[in-house]
Amino acid sequence: MSRRITCQVRDNSPVTEVRLAGTLDVGTMRSVHAVLHRCLTAQPDALVVDLAGVTVRDRLALAVFAAAARQAAGWPAVPMVLCAPPPEAATWLAESTACRVLPVCRDRAEASREIDATAAPRLRARLQPVADACRRARELARDACGRWNVPELVGPTTLVLSELVGNVVRHAGTPMQVTLTLRRPYLHVAVVDGSRAAARPADPDHCAEGGRGLLLVRELTQRWGSSPAGDGKVVWAMLPAM
């Protein structure tokens, strides 16, 4: 973190708040982006960025918020809100692309109302790396699809989530957190484990009995990926939910 800017993270579950203080310019925007990325991979219900303590030296640096918001809109489907920008920064934000992809609110109260209006249904569960985890994952997927009235996604979601959880059981061997989020036009599935090893599709021999799980995930989803998350990683996937 640059000494010219600080990022105070408050994990007020289920909403995470980041309070910036100091100078935001092209030299410090990378540090800010790294903090926002780390917060987003934790998959809070929303991320609020408080700009009250920021001095913006270069309006181009405001692009860091638009970049993070675009990333979050795809995965992890976490709404971002900016609040309390200083007057000059507020003017620049209004003239930039940032306001096209994320709301800018006058204060924390307005940001809270914005979050309530854009909240997406989310279902979470902690699973242990045991054989029964895949069955529990399938039950969770069926429960989510039933609650959210997307019966057409029961089949692909149960299969994708079962494969992601099975991958943790077989390779990572750590406790995991499973999260399902319906933010149309996608149903988002994510599994966080304690291993830093990136998930990559195997290239099994045609006679091999296993090793095709992530290939199947790739075929059944619009997008999928593996990203660092805390002390481990998250493997995520997006299924169309029209």
Side-chain angles (χ1 to χ4, degrees), residues 24 29-30 32-33 36 60-69 80:
L24 178 64
M29 61 188 293
R30 181 174 296 182
V32 172
H33 188 273
L36 297 180
L60 292 178
L62 294 170
V64 67
F65 303 119
M80 270 184 64

Side-chain angles (χ1 to χ4, degrees), residues 71-224:
Q71 170 195 342
W75 186 88
V78 173
M80 270 184 64
V81 179
L82 303 182
C83 77
E88 187 174 42
T91 299
W92 286 346
L93 283 166
E95 297 171 351
S96 73
T97 59
C99 285
R100 301 174 191 171
V101 293
L102 78 165
V104 179
C105 301
R106 290 169 297 187
D107 52 35
R108 186 65 176 80
E110 185 178 330
S112 295
R113 292 192 294 272
E114 179 67 30
I115 289 168
D116 291 342
T118 59
R122 204 180 287 265
L123 194 61
R124 308 177 194 268
R126 294 282 297 179
L127 301 179
Q128 296 300 314
V130 295
D132 190 54
C134 291
R135 179 190 62 79
R136 178 73 182 95
R138 291 191 291 271
E139 291 176 349
L140 191 68
R142 286 193 289 268
D143 184 15
C145 292
R147 290 189 189 188
W148 302 335
N149 194 29
V150 284
E152 71 280 6
L153 292 181
V154 171
T157 303
T158 55
L159 188 52
V160 167
L161 188 55
S162 180
E163 290 294 341
L164 295 184
V165 168
N167 197 57
V168 176
V169 174
R170 289 188 295 271
H171 302 295
T174 70
M176 69 199 91
Q177 177 172 290
V178 175
T179 305
L180 295 98
T181 307
L182 181 63
R183 183 169 289 278
R184 295 186 187 275
Y186 297 105
L187 191 154
H188 302 255
V189 177
V191 179
V192 178
D193 63 51
S195 169
R196 290 185 176 274
R200 296 187 177 90
D203 186 19
D205 181 85
H206 69 279
C207 294
E209 295 183 0
R212 297 179 177 83
L214 292 178
L215 294 175
L216 186 60
V217 170
R218 184 179 66 186
E219 292 302 314
L220 289 174
T221 60
Q222 182 75 21
R223 288 175 56 201
W224 81 280

